[in-house]
Amino acid sequence: MQAGVAVDVFWALTDLERSQPAVLRGRFAAALEMGEYGVVPGQRVAIIWDSSSPVEALKDLVDKIQALVGANNRVSVENVNQLSQSAHRESSFDVVLSGVVPGSTAQHSAEVLAEIARILKPGGRVLLKEPVVTESGNNSRIKTAAKLPTALTLSGLVEVKELQKEALTPEEAQSVQEHLGYQGSDLLIVQIEGRKPNFEVGSSSQLKLSFAKKPGPSGKPSVDPATAKLWMLSANDMNDEEMDLLDSDELLDSEDLKKPDPSSLRAPSCKEMGKKKACKNCTCGLAEELEQEKKSLQPKSACGNCYLGDAFRCASCPYLGMPAFKPGEKILLKENQLHDA
């Protein structure tokens, strides 16, 4: 009975297809496209187009996806050159379709791919099509088939895989010549997908790490009994007549027992070592001696009028600002005055 029902349904569909072939073929093609794009009802979808996308084909794709996901502003259409200037927040879309408009030859730069990864939700999916060349040439605008998956991976996407690779149609080849200025015949159209990781960019999580060492099977390392006995000395071993022990005093000779001369133990002073400057941690007294000489050193007057006062002193006189004094009187200058002089 189930077989009869299946036959009746088949002939009913056949009659309906004969009466409305265009409608059924359109719906069947739309169902295939939705299954290919991986769009399900309720998702938020972003469609990215470029100047090479035919207007009618873009409108048809938007209408089909809008009918599937719902009419509550779940489909956004953005130009590839204006995507970075859009006001979309992070993690806004479940699916991003770029370059999938029939006839489109969109090129995805690193900035565009990074922006796509930003607006995708964690775990979201991106599907894009892009013309590529089989070998790298002088045209830097078109990627090679090997560099396209790498570009998606560097933008932060994971599970990047190539779904389809086929030759360009005559219309697509003409569009590449018009919009990209490429005249070569080694072009292919590649369909590739990737997913955003299941976490947001910049998120953090505490890692539980354990660095405890695992004990051995017995809890303690095994020791060779012969090795352990080698380093053990018991009281019986000390009384053993065959045990040859050495007296530590016998290891010293007459020179070792002599009392050393105190002068030989004194460290040489800085002067004895021929140094003109004291050491950093001087203990021989040279540092104090040099400091005393520095304080007692007084500059000599070049003009002989220093003792008369500022009115008779030179412009570079170290006694400027000091009161007059008697000739021969000892005057102590400050440290900064000595440097200035």
mmCIF file of all heavy atoms in Angstrom, residues 27-70:
data_model
loop_
_atom_site.group_PDB
_atom_site.id
_atom_site.type_symbol
_atom_site.label_atom_id
_atom_site.label_comp_id
_atom_site.label_asym_id
_atom_site.label_seq_id
_atom_site.Cartn_x
_atom_site.Cartn_y
_atom_site.Cartn_z
ATOM 1 N N ARG A 27 11.477 26.664 -7.855
ATOM 2 C CA ARG A 27 11.470 26.286 -6.438
ATOM 3 C C ARG A 27 12.522 25.227 -6.149
ATOM 4 O O ARG A 27 13.193 25.256 -5.102
ATOM 5 C CB ARG A 27 10.084 25.774 -6.046
ATOM 6 C CG ARG A 27 9.010 26.860 -6.044
ATOM 7 C CD ARG A 27 7.665 26.287 -5.671
ATOM 8 N NE ARG A 27 6.638 27.328 -5.683
ATOM 9 C CZ ARG A 27 5.337 27.086 -5.447
ATOM 10 N NH1 ARG A 27 4.928 25.844 -5.198
ATOM 11 N NH2 ARG A 27 4.478 28.083 -5.473
ATOM 12 N N PHE A 28 12.663 24.289 -7.075
ATOM 13 C CA PHE A 28 13.658 23.239 -6.859
ATOM 14 C C PHE A 28 15.071 23.831 -6.868
ATOM 15 O O PHE A 28 15.929 23.486 -6.042
ATOM 16 C CB PHE A 28 13.525 22.171 -7.949
ATOM 17 C CG PHE A 28 14.470 21.022 -7.784
ATOM 18 C CD1 PHE A 28 14.309 20.120 -6.743
ATOM 19 C CD2 PHE A 28 15.536 20.857 -8.656
ATOM 20 C CE1 PHE A 28 15.174 19.068 -6.584
ATOM 21 C CE2 PHE A 28 16.408 19.810 -8.491
ATOM 22 C CZ PHE A 28 16.227 18.910 -7.467
ATOM 23 N N ALA A 29 15.327 24.762 -7.795
ATOM 24 C CA ALA A 29 16.633 25.410 -7.836
ATOM 25 C C ALA A 29 16.873 26.234 -6.579
ATOM 26 O O ALA A 29 17.983 26.267 -6.040
ATOM 27 C CB ALA A 29 16.752 26.303 -9.071
ATOM 28 N N ALA A 30 15.819 26.911 -6.078
ATOM 29 C CA ALA A 30 15.970 27.704 -4.856
ATOM 30 C C ALA A 30 16.288 26.817 -3.666
ATOM 31 O O ALA A 30 17.116 27.158 -2.814
ATOM 32 C CB ALA A 30 14.693 28.501 -4.596
ATOM 33 N N ALA A 31 15.619 25.643 -3.615
ATOM 34 C CA ALA A 31 15.886 24.712 -2.513
ATOM 35 C C ALA A 31 17.326 24.204 -2.577
ATOM 36 O O ALA A 31 18.000 24.063 -1.558
ATOM 37 C CB ALA A 31 14.914 23.531 -2.574
ATOM 38 N N LEU A 32 17.817 23.946 -3.794
ATOM 39 C CA LEU A 32 19.196 23.515 -3.924
ATOM 40 C C LEU A 32 20.161 24.600 -3.465
ATOM 41 O O LEU A 32 21.155 24.341 -2.792
ATOM 42 C CB LEU A 32 19.489 23.136 -5.381
ATOM 43 C CG LEU A 32 18.881 21.822 -5.872
ATOM 44 C CD1 LEU A 32 19.243 21.605 -7.336
ATOM 45 C CD2 LEU A 32 19.336 20.637 -5.039
ATOM 46 N N GLU A 33 19.859 25.864 -3.835
ATOM 47 C CA GLU A 33 20.725 26.956 -3.453
ATOM 48 C C GLU A 33 20.757 27.139 -1.932
ATOM 49 O O GLU A 33 21.804 27.338 -1.330
ATOM 50 C CB GLU A 33 20.276 28.255 -4.118
ATOM 51 C CG GLU A 33 20.575 28.285 -5.616
ATOM 52 C CD GLU A 33 20.096 29.580 -6.249
ATOM 53 O OE1 GLU A 33 19.478 30.376 -5.524
ATOM 54 O OE2 GLU A 33 20.339 29.786 -7.447
ATOM 55 N N MET A 34 19.579 27.074 -1.305
ATOM 56 C CA MET A 34 19.538 27.250 0.146
ATOM 57 C C MET A 34 20.298 26.134 0.854
ATOM 58 O O MET A 34 20.971 26.352 1.851
ATOM 59 C CB MET A 34 18.086 27.291 0.637
ATOM 60 C CG MET A 34 17.267 28.453 0.088
ATOM 61 S SD MET A 34 18.023 30.062 0.306
ATOM 62 C CE MET A 34 18.575 30.412 -1.367
ATOM 63 N N GLY A 35 20.168 24.904 0.317
ATOM 64 C CA GLY A 35 20.932 23.820 0.905
ATOM 65 C C GLY A 35 22.421 24.000 0.688
ATOM 66 O O GLY A 35 23.235 23.673 1.541
ATOM 67 N N GLU A 36 22.805 24.549 -0.453
ATOM 68 C CA GLU A 36 24.218 24.783 -0.737
ATOM 69 C C GLU A 36 24.779 25.871 0.160
ATOM 70 O O GLU A 36 25.915 25.772 0.630
ATOM 71 C CB GLU A 36 24.374 25.181 -2.197
ATOM 72 C CG GLU A 36 25.794 25.460 -2.607
ATOM 73 C CD GLU A 36 25.881 25.941 -4.042
ATOM 74 O OE1 GLU A 36 24.817 26.081 -4.680
ATOM 75 O OE2 GLU A 36 27.005 26.179 -4.503
ATOM 76 N N TYR A 37 24.007 26.926 0.413
ATOM 77 C CA TYR A 37 24.469 28.023 1.236
ATOM 78 C C TYR A 37 24.420 27.702 2.724
ATOM 79 O O TYR A 37 25.032 28.399 3.527
ATOM 80 C CB TYR A 37 23.647 29.290 0.965
ATOM 81 C CG TYR A 37 23.761 29.785 -0.459
ATOM 82 C CD1 TYR A 37 22.721 30.468 -1.057
ATOM 83 C CD2 TYR A 37 24.913 29.561 -1.207
ATOM 84 C CE1 TYR A 37 22.829 30.925 -2.368
ATOM 85 C CE2 TYR A 37 25.020 30.006 -2.507
ATOM 86 C CZ TYR A 37 23.974 30.682 -3.092
ATOM 87 O OH TYR A 37 24.087 31.129 -4.377
ATOM 88 N N GLY A 38 23.689 26.682 3.137
ATOM 89 C CA GLY A 38 23.618 26.312 4.544
ATOM 90 C C GLY A 38 22.813 27.274 5.385
ATOM 91 O O GLY A 38 23.109 27.469 6.568
ATOM 92 N N VAL A 39 21.789 27.912 4.802
ATOM 93 C CA VAL A 39 20.953 28.871 5.521
ATOM 94 C C VAL A 39 19.697 28.165 5.998
ATOM 95 O O VAL A 39 19.061 27.430 5.253
ATOM 96 C CB VAL A 39 20.594 30.059 4.606
ATOM 97 C CG1 VAL A 39 19.700 31.042 5.343
ATOM 98 C CG2 VAL A 39 21.853 30.744 4.120
ATOM 99 N N VAL A 40 19.338 28.389 7.272
ATOM 100 C CA VAL A 40 18.132 27.795 7.842
ATOM 101 C C VAL A 40 17.242 28.923 8.364
ATOM 102 O O VAL A 40 17.723 30.045 8.613
ATOM 103 C CB VAL A 40 18.486 26.817 8.981
ATOM 104 C CG1 VAL A 40 19.301 25.649 8.452
ATOM 105 C CG2 VAL A 40 19.248 27.521 10.087
ATOM 106 N N PRO A 41 15.951 28.675 8.525
ATOM 107 C CA PRO A 41 15.037 29.727 9.011
ATOM 108 C C PRO A 41 15.456 30.258 10.374
ATOM 109 O O PRO A 41 15.935 29.520 11.236
ATOM 110 C CB PRO A 41 13.690 29.010 9.070
ATOM 111 C CG PRO A 41 13.796 27.897 8.071
ATOM 112 C CD PRO A 41 15.218 27.457 8.113
ATOM 113 N N GLY A 42 15.299 31.565 10.547
ATOM 114 C CA GLY A 42 15.593 32.214 11.806
ATOM 115 C C GLY A 42 17.003 32.773 11.922
ATOM 116 O O GLY A 42 17.305 33.471 12.893
ATOM 117 N N GLN A 43 17.873 32.476 10.980
ATOM 118 C CA GLN A 43 19.236 32.975 11.059
ATOM 119 C C GLN A 43 19.339 34.391 10.507
ATOM 120 O O GLN A 43 18.529 34.814 9.681
ATOM 121 C CB GLN A 43 20.186 32.054 10.276
ATOM 122 C CG GLN A 43 20.443 30.721 10.926
ATOM 123 C CD GLN A 43 21.447 29.904 10.147
ATOM 124 O OE1 GLN A 43 21.563 30.021 8.929
ATOM 125 N NE2 GLN A 43 22.193 29.059 10.844
ATOM 126 N N ARG A 44 20.357 35.092 10.968
ATOM 127 C CA ARG A 44 20.686 36.418 10.426
ATOM 128 C C ARG A 44 21.782 36.245 9.387
ATOM 129 O O ARG A 44 22.821 35.629 9.649
ATOM 130 C CB ARG A 44 21.150 37.365 11.519
ATOM 131 C CG ARG A 44 20.051 37.783 12.487
ATOM 132 C CD ARG A 44 20.401 39.100 13.127
ATOM 133 N NE ARG A 44 20.463 40.161 12.124
ATOM 134 C CZ ARG A 44 20.988 41.372 12.347
ATOM 135 N NH1 ARG A 44 21.512 41.656 13.524
ATOM 136 N NH2 ARG A 44 21.009 42.286 11.393
ATOM 137 N N VAL A 45 21.541 36.780 8.188
ATOM 138 C CA VAL A 45 22.416 36.555 7.041
ATOM 139 C C VAL A 45 22.875 37.898 6.496
ATOM 140 O O VAL A 45 22.080 38.841 6.385
ATOM 141 C CB VAL A 45 21.707 35.739 5.942
ATOM 142 C CG1 VAL A 45 22.658 35.490 4.776
ATOM 143 C CG2 VAL A 45 21.187 34.424 6.500
ATOM 144 N N ALA A 46 24.158 37.980 6.162
ATOM 145 C CA ALA A 46 24.721 39.158 5.499
ATOM 146 C C ALA A 46 25.157 38.758 4.097
ATOM 147 O O ALA A 46 25.887 37.777 3.926
ATOM 148 C CB ALA A 46 25.906 39.713 6.281
ATOM 149 N N ILE A 47 24.692 39.498 3.097
ATOM 150 C CA ILE A 47 25.057 39.263 1.702
ATOM 151 C C ILE A 47 25.965 40.401 1.257
ATOM 152 O O ILE A 47 25.593 41.572 1.326
ATOM 153 C CB ILE A 47 23.812 39.178 0.808
ATOM 154 C CG1 ILE A 47 22.902 38.034 1.272
ATOM 155 C CG2 ILE A 47 24.204 38.986 -0.645
ATOM 156 C CD1 ILE A 47 21.609 37.923 0.500
ATOM 157 N N ILE A 48 27.164 40.055 0.814
ATOM 158 C CA ILE A 48 28.157 41.046 0.400
ATOM 159 C C ILE A 48 28.302 40.980 -1.116
ATOM 160 O O ILE A 48 28.519 39.893 -1.670
ATOM 161 C CB ILE A 48 29.502 40.788 1.097
ATOM 162 C CG1 ILE A 48 29.320 40.831 2.623
ATOM 163 C CG2 ILE A 48 30.546 41.808 0.663
ATOM 164 C CD1 ILE A 48 30.576 40.470 3.395
ATOM 165 N N TRP A 49 28.203 42.128 -1.759
ATOM 166 C CA TRP A 49 28.281 42.214 -3.208
ATOM 167 C C TRP A 49 29.323 43.248 -3.603
ATOM 168 O O TRP A 49 29.806 44.016 -2.777
ATOM 169 C CB TRP A 49 26.916 42.594 -3.799
ATOM 170 C CG TRP A 49 26.416 43.933 -3.333
ATOM 171 C CD1 TRP A 49 25.836 44.222 -2.140
ATOM 172 C CD2 TRP A 49 26.507 45.164 -4.046
ATOM 173 N NE1 TRP A 49 25.537 45.551 -2.056
ATOM 174 C CE2 TRP A 49 25.935 46.162 -3.220
ATOM 175 C CE3 TRP A 49 27.003 45.534 -5.298
ATOM 176 C CZ2 TRP A 49 25.859 47.493 -3.613
ATOM 177 C CZ3 TRP A 49 26.909 46.860 -5.689
ATOM 178 C CH2 TRP A 49 26.341 47.828 -4.851
ATOM 179 N N ASP A 50 29.664 43.246 -4.889
ATOM 180 C CA ASP A 50 30.598 44.242 -5.391
ATOM 181 C C ASP A 50 30.056 44.819 -6.687
ATOM 182 O O ASP A 50 28.948 44.491 -7.117
ATOM 183 C CB ASP A 50 31.994 43.636 -5.595
ATOM 184 C CG ASP A 50 32.027 42.674 -6.755
ATOM 185 O OD1 ASP A 50 31.017 41.973 -6.963
ATOM 186 O OD2 ASP A 50 33.050 42.620 -7.461
ATOM 187 N N SER A 51 30.826 45.683 -7.326
ATOM 188 C CA SER A 51 30.343 46.370 -8.530
ATOM 189 C C SER A 51 30.135 45.434 -9.705
ATOM 190 O O SER A 51 29.425 45.777 -10.650
ATOM 191 C CB SER A 51 31.338 47.467 -8.929
ATOM 192 O OG SER A 51 32.628 46.919 -9.139
ATOM 193 N N SER A 52 30.750 44.250 -9.661
ATOM 194 C CA SER A 52 30.564 43.299 -10.765
ATOM 195 C C SER A 52 29.306 42.455 -10.617
ATOM 196 O O SER A 52 28.969 41.703 -11.533
ATOM 197 C CB SER A 52 31.785 42.380 -10.862
ATOM 198 O OG SER A 52 31.898 41.571 -9.693
ATOM 199 N N SER A 53 28.610 42.537 -9.497
ATOM 200 C CA SER A 53 27.422 41.714 -9.270
ATOM 201 C C SER A 53 26.257 42.243 -10.102
ATOM 202 O O SER A 53 25.900 43.424 -9.991
ATOM 203 C CB SER A 53 27.045 41.721 -7.789
ATOM 204 O OG SER A 53 28.124 41.271 -6.991
ATOM 205 N N PRO A 54 25.636 41.407 -10.932
ATOM 206 C CA PRO A 54 24.446 41.847 -11.676
ATOM 207 C C PRO A 54 23.314 42.215 -10.722
ATOM 208 O O PRO A 54 23.069 41.515 -9.736
ATOM 209 C CB PRO A 54 24.093 40.628 -12.533
ATOM 210 C CG PRO A 54 25.361 39.823 -12.612
ATOM 211 C CD PRO A 54 26.050 40.048 -11.316
ATOM 212 N N VAL A 55 22.640 43.296 -11.020
ATOM 213 C CA VAL A 55 21.608 43.802 -10.120
ATOM 214 C C VAL A 55 20.465 42.815 -9.987
ATOM 215 O O VAL A 55 19.978 42.536 -8.876
ATOM 216 C CB VAL A 55 21.108 45.171 -10.615
ATOM 217 C CG1 VAL A 55 19.990 45.684 -9.702
ATOM 218 C CG2 VAL A 55 22.250 46.168 -10.666
ATOM 219 N N GLU A 56 20.001 42.257 -11.104
ATOM 220 C CA GLU A 56 18.880 41.328 -11.060
ATOM 221 C C GLU A 56 19.237 40.057 -10.305
ATOM 222 O O GLU A 56 18.429 39.529 -9.525
ATOM 223 C CB GLU A 56 18.422 40.995 -12.487
ATOM 224 C CG GLU A 56 17.821 42.173 -13.238
ATOM 225 C CD GLU A 56 16.558 42.690 -12.552
ATOM 226 O OE1 GLU A 56 15.841 41.869 -11.939
ATOM 227 O OE2 GLU A 56 16.290 43.906 -12.631
ATOM 228 N N ALA A 57 20.442 39.555 -10.514
ATOM 229 C CA ALA A 57 20.863 38.352 -9.797
ATOM 230 C C ALA A 57 20.979 38.621 -8.298
ATOM 231 O O ALA A 57 20.625 37.772 -7.469
ATOM 232 C CB ALA A 57 22.189 37.844 -10.357
ATOM 233 N N LEU A 58 21.480 39.796 -7.914
ATOM 234 C CA LEU A 58 21.572 40.148 -6.500
ATOM 235 C C LEU A 58 20.192 40.250 -5.868
ATOM 236 O O LEU A 58 19.958 39.733 -4.766
ATOM 237 C CB LEU A 58 22.327 41.472 -6.345
ATOM 238 C CG LEU A 58 22.393 42.063 -4.931
ATOM 239 C CD1 LEU A 58 23.123 41.120 -3.985
ATOM 240 C CD2 LEU A 58 23.075 43.425 -4.948
ATOM 241 N N LYS A 59 19.261 40.902 -6.554
ATOM 242 C CA LYS A 59 17.901 41.048 -6.034
ATOM 243 C C LYS A 59 17.221 39.692 -5.891
ATOM 244 O O LYS A 59 16.529 39.427 -4.905
ATOM 245 C CB LYS A 59 17.091 41.953 -6.953
ATOM 246 C CG LYS A 59 15.679 42.252 -6.469
ATOM 247 C CD LYS A 59 14.993 43.211 -7.407
ATOM 248 C CE LYS A 59 13.564 43.523 -6.911
ATOM 249 N NZ LYS A 59 12.734 42.320 -6.803
ATOM 250 N N ASP A 60 17.440 38.805 -6.857
ATOM 251 C CA ASP A 60 16.838 37.483 -6.794
ATOM 252 C C ASP A 60 17.383 36.689 -5.613
ATOM 253 O O ASP A 60 16.634 36.014 -4.894
ATOM 254 C CB ASP A 60 17.110 36.750 -8.109
ATOM 255 C CG ASP A 60 16.404 35.398 -8.162
ATOM 256 O OD1 ASP A 60 15.180 35.352 -7.957
ATOM 257 O OD2 ASP A 60 17.103 34.382 -8.385
ATOM 258 N N LEU A 61 18.712 36.777 -5.368
ATOM 259 C CA LEU A 61 19.302 36.050 -4.243
ATOM 260 C C LEU A 61 18.785 36.590 -2.913
ATOM 261 O O LEU A 61 18.477 35.823 -1.987
ATOM 262 C CB LEU A 61 20.825 36.164 -4.316
ATOM 263 C CG LEU A 61 21.611 35.515 -3.170
ATOM 264 C CD1 LEU A 61 21.378 34.017 -3.136
ATOM 265 C CD2 LEU A 61 23.094 35.823 -3.295
ATOM 266 N N VAL A 62 18.682 37.896 -2.785
ATOM 267 C CA VAL A 62 18.189 38.489 -1.540
ATOM 268 C C VAL A 62 16.752 38.084 -1.269
ATOM 269 O O VAL A 62 16.380 37.751 -0.129
ATOM 270 C CB VAL A 62 18.337 40.024 -1.598
ATOM 271 C CG1 VAL A 62 17.664 40.667 -0.382
ATOM 272 C CG2 VAL A 62 19.800 40.422 -1.651
ATOM 273 N N ASP A 63 15.921 38.080 -2.309
ATOM 274 C CA ASP A 63 14.517 37.689 -2.128
ATOM 275 C C ASP A 63 14.396 36.234 -1.679
ATOM 276 O O ASP A 63 13.567 35.908 -0.815
ATOM 277 C CB ASP A 63 13.750 37.902 -3.436
ATOM 278 C CG ASP A 63 13.617 39.377 -3.783
ATOM 279 O OD1 ASP A 63 13.770 40.209 -2.872
ATOM 280 O OD2 ASP A 63 13.358 39.688 -4.965
ATOM 281 N N LYS A 64 15.198 35.357 -2.242
ATOM 282 C CA LYS A 64 15.119 33.937 -1.881
ATOM 283 C C LYS A 64 15.534 33.709 -0.421
ATOM 284 O O LYS A 64 14.861 32.993 0.320
ATOM 285 C CB LYS A 64 16.012 33.120 -2.809
ATOM 286 C CG LYS A 64 15.490 33.043 -4.240
ATOM 287 C CD LYS A 64 16.478 32.308 -5.125
ATOM 288 C CE LYS A 64 15.978 32.256 -6.569
ATOM 289 N NZ LYS A 64 16.949 31.594 -7.470
ATOM 290 N N ILE A 65 16.622 34.337 -0.023
ATOM 291 C CA ILE A 65 17.084 34.146 1.352
ATOM 292 C C ILE A 65 16.157 34.852 2.334
ATOM 293 O O ILE A 65 15.905 34.360 3.444
ATOM 294 C CB ILE A 65 18.527 34.651 1.493
ATOM 295 C CG1 ILE A 65 19.454 33.794 0.627
ATOM 296 C CG2 ILE A 65 18.994 34.619 2.940
ATOM 297 C CD1 ILE A 65 20.904 34.160 0.709
ATOM 298 N N GLN A 66 15.600 35.991 1.935
ATOM 299 C CA GLN A 66 14.649 36.703 2.798
ATOM 300 C C GLN A 66 13.410 35.858 3.037
ATOM 301 O O GLN A 66 12.884 35.804 4.156
ATOM 302 C CB GLN A 66 14.264 38.031 2.138
ATOM 303 C CG GLN A 66 13.388 38.928 3.008
ATOM 304 C CD GLN A 66 14.166 39.609 4.109
ATOM 305 O OE1 GLN A 66 15.160 40.263 3.838
ATOM 306 N NE2 GLN A 66 13.732 39.439 5.333
ATOM 307 N N ALA A 67 12.941 35.179 2.012
ATOM 308 C CA ALA A 67 11.763 34.326 2.165
ATOM 309 C C ALA A 67 12.049 33.132 3.064
ATOM 310 O O ALA A 67 11.142 32.611 3.725
ATOM 311 C CB ALA A 67 11.291 33.853 0.791
ATOM 312 N N LEU A 68 13.296 32.688 3.106
ATOM 313 C CA LEU A 68 13.623 31.512 3.907
ATOM 314 C C LEU A 68 13.827 31.855 5.376
ATOM 315 O O LEU A 68 13.275 31.193 6.257
ATOM 316 C CB LEU A 68 14.883 30.845 3.344
ATOM 317 C CG LEU A 68 15.368 29.606 4.096
ATOM 318 C CD1 LEU A 68 14.330 28.496 4.023
ATOM 319 C CD2 LEU A 68 16.689 29.127 3.523
ATOM 320 N N VAL A 69 14.591 32.904 5.670
ATOM 321 C CA VAL A 69 14.937 33.195 7.062
ATOM 322 C C VAL A 69 13.851 34.003 7.768
ATOM 323 O O VAL A 69 13.821 34.046 9.005
ATOM 324 C CB VAL A 69 16.281 33.937 7.136
ATOM 325 C CG1 VAL A 69 17.387 33.089 6.551
ATOM 326 C CG2 VAL A 69 16.211 35.283 6.423
ATOM 327 N N GLY A 70 12.995 34.689 7.042
ATOM 328 C CA GLY A 70 11.957 35.489 7.668
ATOM 329 C C GLY A 70 12.094 36.952 7.286
ATOM 330 O O GLY A 70 13.132 37.403 6.793
#
